[in-house]
Amino acid sequence: MPHYGDFQNEIYFGGLQGHVPKFPMCYADLEARAEKAMPPGVLSYVAGGCGDERTQRLNAEAFNHWGVIPRMFVGAAKRDLSVELFGMKLPSPLFLSPVGVIGICGQDGHGDIATARAAAQAGVPMVASTLMQDPMERVAREFGETPNFFQLYTPTDRDLAASLVSRAEAAGFRGIVVTLDTWITGWRPRDLTTSNFPQLRGACLANYFSDPVFLKLLGKPVEEDPRAAVALFGRLFGNPLTWDDLPWLRSLTKLPLIFKGICHPDDARRAIDGGADGIYCSNHGGRQANGGVAAIDMLPAVVKAAGSTPVLFDSGVRSGTDIVKALALGAAAVGIGRPYAYGLAIGGVEGVVHVIRCMLAEADLLMAVNGFPTIADLRGAAIPAVPPGVR
């Protein structure tokens, strides 16, 4: 298995030849570089959150609530970060979370394709959003041997939902991730200040504009009346799903079905009873609802309720250390969003791969130093951190 921590040796030995890293090594510097590279409207959409963004900040800060207790005399010279997920063997527990404007985060306007190429190169799954700048079939051609997932924003038209899922299956996606917390958008002051909602400007709607059911509902070519096409998207987007919809969602596919946005243990149990193959603990990075609890603090209860069902996790992950803490708390796989979006903005495919390598290197080295050769050894090693000043 690869030792992701060897990435630091590449950097140090490169320094002997006068080379320094092309891209930032920590999240704060990555974010600062991206702020200069991204158009203001795209930056506000990616960087912004709901309300005063307290929950968004809390998501990242709350990782400090948890600490990992090291174990010595382990001799963790060999590490294995691989995971089994839905019958697939993955080399690491990291995945790329769905970002609905990733297509316009790339300098060439084809960020979905660039992210798919980076996912293939790094061997890290991408959860591709319904909201793509290029059709899913075109994006899926870039995945190579790396398994990837399709995230569904469930439209109100059931035939359109079935068509999107069917296309994802045919394109080779290996699972369907249904997002539950975005049937309506949260109050986002950054975007409201500039009256900016990219999809209403026609961005990242390629999966709708290429769908036969959508085109039938539109009744004309998109090119003939783009404004009508965007208006139809606006009417169809956002299905306020209820538990009564669960059997129908399950009937749409035989692929693994994962529900994203579940943060309460009772919801996890009920979703599993209704046929969910996976639970995705996430509060949408603080973009959809403010005033909530940090996602990482809700993870342990969701994991306990899910039992043997895998729990994916994202929200606030900014480093390899955050990944390790989430794994120690029971996550089966851990996703990143803003970090790779910023990597894409400043460096395209190379920038995304750099972010992935940095995060996995930090996680690998932390496990080595702390004495955890495998993720199984790491389970249960995180405990609530001691408050400052308390001994």
Side-chain angles (χ1 to χ4, degrees), residues 37-366:
M38 302 174 83
V42 177
L43 176 64
S44 69
Y45 195 89
V46 174
C50 187
D52 67 0
E53 302 181 353
R54 179 183 180 277
T55 297
Q56 177 173 303
R57 294 190 300 272
L58 187 62
N59 274 336
E61 294 166 359
F63 280 89
N64 294 325
H65 300 172
W66 300 92
V68 176
I69 300 178
R71 302 302 302 269
M72 296 296 105
F73 288 107
V74 174
K78 294 182 179 180
R79 278 92 56 206
D80 181 358
L81 271 65
S82 66
V83 296
E84 295 277 352
L85 195 64
F86 309 119
M88 297 175 285
K89 183 72 173 284
L90 303 175
S92 86
L94 182 63
F95 67 91
L96 304 178
S97 300
V99 176
V101 292
I102 202 65
I104 55 175
C105 289
Q107 297 296 325
D108 65 353
H110 297 281
D112 301 291
I113 290 175
T115 302
R117 288 172 177 167
Q121 186 173 326
V124 168
M126 172 189 183
V127 181
S129 175
T130 301
L131 301 174
M132 294 184 193
Q133 190 74 344
D134 290 279
M136 67 175 85
E137 293 84 359
R138 174 67 187 88
V139 175
R141 292 204 298 269
E142 304 295 336
F143 291 147
E145 298 300 315
T146 299
N148 290 272
F149 300 83
F150 179 75
Q151 174 268 339
L152 177 70
Y153 283 126
T154 311
T156 54
D157 186 280
R158 286 194 167 192
D159 289 338
L160 177 56
S163 180
L164 290 169
V165 172
S166 177
R167 288 172 59 195
E169 287 182 337
F173 288 92
R174 303 290 292 275
I176 305 296
V177 176
V178 179
T179 293
L180 303 172
D181 62 1
T182 314
W183 60 273
I184 191 171
T185 56
W187 183 259
R188 302 172 185 167
R190 293 202 208 192
D191 295 325
L192 290 163
T193 298
T194 56
S195 302
N196 177 52
F197 193 87
Q199 286 77 25
L200 294 183
R201 299 170 186 261
C204 303
L205 298 181
N207 283 329
Y208 292 87
F209 292 174
S210 61
D211 193 273
V213 173
F214 182 90
L215 294 173
K216 182 178 180 180
L217 292 170
L218 183 61
K220 64 183 79 171
V222 172
E223 298 77 11
E224 184 177 310
D225 195 345
R227 294 182 66 179
V230 171
L232 178 60
F233 156 76
R235 293 195 298 273
L236 294 173
F237 182 85
N239 191 332
L241 297 167
T242 71
W243 291 113
D244 291 338
D245 294 306
L246 188 50
W248 164 67
L249 289 167
R250 180 65 276 180
S251 74
L252 291 178
T253 183
K254 293 182 180 179
L255 292 174
L257 187 63
I258 304 107
F259 291 106
K260 180 177 183 284
I262 289 181
C263 295
H264 194 289
D266 289 348
D267 291 345
R269 283 186 282 263
R270 191 165 181 180
I272 293 167
D273 289 344
D277 298 294
I279 299 298
Y280 193 148
C281 181
S282 166
N283 62 13
H284 218 100
R287 287 183 50 74
Q288 277 297 90
N290 199 31
V293 180
I296 191 65
D297 291 340
M298 295 184 282
L299 177 62
V302 172
V303 168
K304 182 177 180 181
S308 61
T309 301
V311 176
L312 284 67
F313 173 82
D314 75 13
S315 296
V317 179
R318 301 288 183 262
S319 67
T321 298
D322 293 343
I323 293 171
V324 169
K325 290 181 179 181
L327 293 171
L329 291 171
V334 181
I336 57 171
R338 290 181 178 92
Y340 87 82
Y342 293 152
L344 174 66
I346 66 174
V349 174
E350 188 181 1
V352 177
V353 172
H354 173 82
V355 169
I356 291 170
R357 296 191 74 190
C358 285
M359 289 204 155
L360 288 176
E362 181 181 351
D364 181 32
L365 292 168
L366 184 64

